[in-house]
Amino acid sequence: MKKIIIILFAVLLYNCTDTDDNNNCFLGVVLNETINLSNPQFINIQVPGGHTIANIGGRNLIIIRNNTSSFKVFDLQCPERDCTSPMTFDGLKLICPCSGKEYNSLNGSPIDGEGCFALEYNVIQVSNTALQISR
């Protein structure tokens, strides 16, 4: 009987591992906000290559404009979650100040290939002056 319980426990543990690429370290984070790009705080993202940091829906986010119609939005909370300081952006990558761990600003993946991805939000440009940011 003990062997059966141990085998069942091992199977359960194995099935509970997360095989998702980003390991989803941000369970329970929900956001659904529309921002007005005409607002002066978003002036830096009026041109491709620009970025701005803003508190939206109670979360510190970085909005990066890739080109004329493509945006990326990442949460600045370090994926390790043991760091209370927000990540910084050097123009190419996001950097967690506590661990020095770096994340790709194209998809949020860890540069060293290990651990969780930076939290990326879905972005829809609903008009020339509005972005819908959600998760």
Side-chain angles (χ1 to χ4, degrees):
M1 184 66 170
K2 281 185 177 182
K3 288 182 181 180
I4 293 173
I5 292 173
I6 291 172
I7 291 171
L8 285 174
F9 184 69
V11 168
L12 285 173
L13 280 178
Y14 179 76
N15 287 331
C16 290
T17 60
D18 192 353
T19 58
D20 192 9
D21 284 341
N22 64 10
N23 297 328
N24 205 354
C25 290
F26 294 93
L27 296 174
V29 175
V30 177
L31 183 74
N32 190 13
E33 298 283 335
T34 301
I35 62 168
N36 183 345
L37 296 175
S38 299
N39 186 322
Q41 86 181 84
F42 301 117
I43 192 135
N44 290 338
I45 57 173
Q46 297 299 321
V47 295
H51 71 277
T52 191
I53 294 173
N55 187 301
I56 300 171
R59 307 289 301 181
N60 288 321
L61 307 180
I62 182 165
I63 304 167
I64 304 167
R65 186 170 196 153
N66 294 330
N67 55 44
T68 57
S69 62
S70 173
F71 294 85
K72 289 285 186 175
V73 177
F74 293 99
D75 202 294
L76 291 178
Q77 180 179 352
C78 290
E80 290 89 20
R81 294 187 158 234
D82 58 354
C83 183
T84 57
S85 299
M87 288 193 287
T88 58
F89 181 62
D90 71 359
L92 295 174
K93 56 191 175 285
L94 299 161
I95 304 161
C96 183
C98 298
S99 65
K101 192 160 177 97
E102 300 175 338
Y103 300 89
N104 184 321
S105 65
L106 296 176
N107 63 9
S109 65
I111 300 290
D112 66 5
E114 295 182 14
C116 295
F117 283 37
L119 178 57
E120 183 177 0
Y121 292 89
N122 298 317
V123 183
I124 299 171
Q125 188 167 1
V126 293
S127 72
N128 286 339
T129 60
L131 287 181
Q132 178 73 37
I133 301 170
S134 62
R135 178 171 199 276

